[in-house]
Amino acid sequence: MTTANYQKHHCPIAQAMAELGDQWTLLIVRDALLAGRSRFSEFQESLGISRNLLTLRLTKLCDAGIFERVPIAGSKRHAYVPTQKCRALRVVILAMGEWAEKWANDPHIHHLDVLEKTTGQPVTVGFFRREDGTIVEPDAVDIVRHGNQKPDHGGKDLS
Amino acid sequence: MTTANYQKHHCPIAQAMAELGDQWTLLIVRDALLAGRSRFSEFQESLGISRNLLTLRLTKLCDAGIFERVPIAGSKRHAYVPTQKCRALRVVILAMGEWAEKWANDPHIHHLDVLEKTTGQPVTVGFFRREDGTIVEPDAVDIVRHGNQKPDHGGKDLS
DNA sequence: TCATAAAGTTCAAAAACTGAACTGAATTTG
DNA sequence: CAAATTCAGTTCAGTTTTTGAACTTTATGA
């Protein structure tokens, strides 16, 4: 399935995969959001990704509006700064992190704490919530595509 | 970065990427969880993935305990059935979906409704919450590794 | 000024992925 | 019951991606 094919399906998951679905992209985002890295060489050293591929990935991420190339004051070099679109991936990253903490079988896996900036108080990641803010248990939700009440269908396309 | 390298870092995000980080895996999971697909040929037709690669991916997913090969009653063929570990990816998938609906620039993107089963009321996916249950805005949180109060550091490793 | 670092580019080799044909059961159809 | 079709793969040649290493070109630092 090419990027063109993803687009054709108009499925949000497929679209997300078209922008994020390779080995490196989400690790670059992680480095930016969780470790504050922003320079080419910081990503390169941290990840061990090959330099030409990192160039490609950062270019794609900038084109997608996930990072912004920002000139560094008093220098002609620049930083790759996460945009709001990038910061919006925080929930995705944390969902993956919590999943791995629970399900990956690495006994030495690290724990990611989420803290409120102003107070430093721990915050929990919740996943399903009603409009009034109350919590809904994961098993108590259905997922339906727009205009279709059945969660599973017999047709070929998903969205 | 090889799988071995991912493991070495003990970072939950890296671990998640080691299990899920390619073009197809999360789309297979999506097909299973949101469309109820479970057979080799269902995945193959839906995704257009090449058959040998699908074999590889399904084998890896079974080895990782994300799918289970279940014999079909009255047949010698089998189905790939999502395990609890797989169903736990629902929130990851939905978080990605909500992100794409908001940020991907496809004007025809489909909407995934998440509804409470009992009432049919829409539910929001992914949020941060204080101990008293009040909601924290996404930008108002920091993510830190266990045992380290600083969100950004000068060292080399992330977790 | 000279040396080093930062941010790439270039290129050959290796690995992954695709698409198509092939195989051997299982199932359906006539 | 025999023949045709479907299912769940396997095999393999060709293409595309990714890697790893060397190279370039501006900056910055001593």
Side-chain angles (χ1 to χ4, degrees), chain B residues 70-77:
Chain B
V70 174
I72 291 183
S75 160
K76 265 166 199 165
R77 291 179 180 157

Side-chain angles (χ1 to χ4, degrees), chain B residues 7 25 27 30 45 53 56 78 80 102 114 120 125 151 155 159:
Chain B
Q7 307 288 348
T25 297
L27 292 174
R30 172 205 69 172
E45 277 176 53
L53 194 52
L56 252 51
H78 54 265
Y80 295 92
K102 176 148 188 198
V114 186
V125 182
S159 266

Side-chain angles (χ1 to χ4, degrees), chain B residues 23 27 30-31 39 49 55 68 74 81 86-87 95 100-101 108 112-113 120 132 138 140 146:
Chain B
Q23 264 86 277
L27 292 174
R30 172 205 69 172
D31 265 21
R39 304 291 292 266
I49 182 175
T55 301
E68 204 180 348
V81 176
C86 186
R87 287 193 302 276
E101 280 185 43
H108 302 297
L112 291 176
D113 261 320
D132 65 8
H146 186 60

Side-chain angles (χ1 to χ4, degrees), chain A residues 25-79:
Chain A
T25 296
L26 280 175
L27 291 175
I28 295 170
V29 170
R30 173 205 70 172
D31 264 21
L33 294 181
L34 276 64
R37 295 197 244 269
S38 68
R39 304 292 291 268
F40 184 91
S41 53
E42 288 181 304
F43 293 122
Q44 205 278 318
E45 277 176 54
S46 153
L47 300 172
I49 182 176
S50 65
R51 311 173 75 75
N52 55 352
L53 193 53
L54 180 57
T55 301
L56 253 51
R57 288 289 170 272
L58 287 173
T59 302
K60 188 183 169 192
L61 284 164
C62 287
D63 291 350
I66 295 170
F67 283 94
E68 203 181 347
R69 245 175 242 264
V70 175
I72 289 184
S75 160
K76 265 167 196 161
R77 292 181 179 155
H78 53 266

Side-chain angles (χ1 to χ4, degrees), chain A residues 24-156:
Chain A
W24 295 112
T25 296
L26 280 175
L27 291 175
I28 295 170
V29 170
R30 173 205 70 172
D31 264 21
L33 294 181
L34 276 64
R37 295 197 244 269
S38 68
R39 304 292 291 268
F40 184 91
S41 53
E42 288 181 304
F43 293 122
Q44 205 278 318
E45 277 176 54
S46 153
L47 300 172
I49 182 176
S50 65
R51 311 173 75 75
N52 55 352
L53 193 53
L54 180 57
T55 301
L56 253 51
R57 288 289 170 272
L58 287 173
T59 302
K60 188 183 169 192
L61 284 164
C62 287
D63 291 350
I66 295 170
F67 283 94
E68 203 181 347
R69 245 175 242 264
V70 175
I72 289 184
S75 160
K76 265 167 196 161
R77 292 181 179 155
H78 53 266
Y80 294 92
V81 176
T83 62
Q84 220 193 324
K85 181 172 179 179
C86 186
R87 287 193 302 276
L89 285 170
R90 225 196 279 249
V91 184
V92 174
I93 297 265
L94 282 173
M96 284 189 143
E98 290 210 348
W99 178 82
E101 281 185 44
K102 178 150 187 196
W103 293 102
N105 67 344
D106 173 10
H108 302 298
I109 199 163
H110 290 189
H111 175 61
L112 294 176
D113 263 320
V114 188
L115 305 180
E116 188 171 6
K117 275 181 186 167
T118 50
T119 63
Q121 289 309 298
V123 159
T124 33
V125 192
F127 287 107
F128 299 104
R129 138 178 90 114
R130 296 185 192 89
E131 268 157 28
D132 65 9
T134 53
I135 307 296
V136 184
E137 289 306 306
D139 281 341
V141 302
D142 263 337
I143 303 155
V144 297
R145 286 169 305 289
H146 187 60
N148 183 349
Q149 284 304 103
K150 286 180 297 179
D152 306 340
H153 69 139
K156 227 152 226 188

Side-chain angles (χ1 to χ4, degrees), chain B:
Chain B
M1 193 186 257
T2 60
T3 300
N5 277 339
Y6 282 145
Q7 307 288 348
K8 217 176 53 189
H9 286 101
H10 303 302
C11 166
I13 314 304
Q15 301 265 329
M17 290 309 287
E19 295 200 7
L20 313 168
D22 68 277
Q23 264 86 277
W24 295 112
T25 297
L26 281 175
L27 292 174
I28 296 171
V29 171
R30 172 205 69 172
D31 265 21
L33 293 182
L34 274 63
R37 295 197 244 270
S38 68
R39 304 291 292 266
F40 184 93
S41 54
E42 288 181 305
F43 294 121
Q44 206 277 320
E45 277 176 53
S46 153
L47 300 172
I49 182 175
S50 64
R51 313 171 74 73
N52 55 352
L53 194 52
L54 180 56
T55 301
L56 252 51
R57 288 289 169 272
L58 288 173
T59 302
K60 188 184 169 191
L61 284 163
C62 288
D63 289 350
I66 295 170
F67 282 94
E68 204 180 348
R69 244 177 245 265
V70 174
I72 291 183
S75 160
K76 265 166 199 165
R77 291 179 180 157
H78 54 265
Y80 295 92
V81 176
T83 61
Q84 221 194 322
K85 181 173 179 178
C86 186
R87 287 193 302 276
L89 284 170
R90 224 144 72 122
V91 289
V92 173
I93 298 264
L94 289 174
M96 283 188 142
E98 287 210 350
W99 178 82
E101 280 185 43
K102 176 148 188 198
W103 294 102
N105 67 342
D106 173 10
H108 302 297
I109 198 164
H110 289 190
H111 175 61
L112 291 176
D113 261 320
V114 186
L115 306 179
E116 188 171 5
K117 276 179 185 167
T118 52
T119 64
Q121 290 308 298
V123 160
T124 307
V125 182
F127 58 91
F128 299 103
R129 164 173 62 120
R130 294 186 194 89
E131 270 160 26
D132 65 8
T134 54
I135 304 296
V136 185
E137 290 306 307
D139 276 341
V141 301
D142 267 335
I143 304 159
V144 296
R145 287 167 307 290
H146 186 60
N148 182 349
Q149 285 305 102
K150 287 181 297 180
D152 307 340
H153 70 139
K156 225 152 226 188
D157 277 351
L158 182 68
S159 266

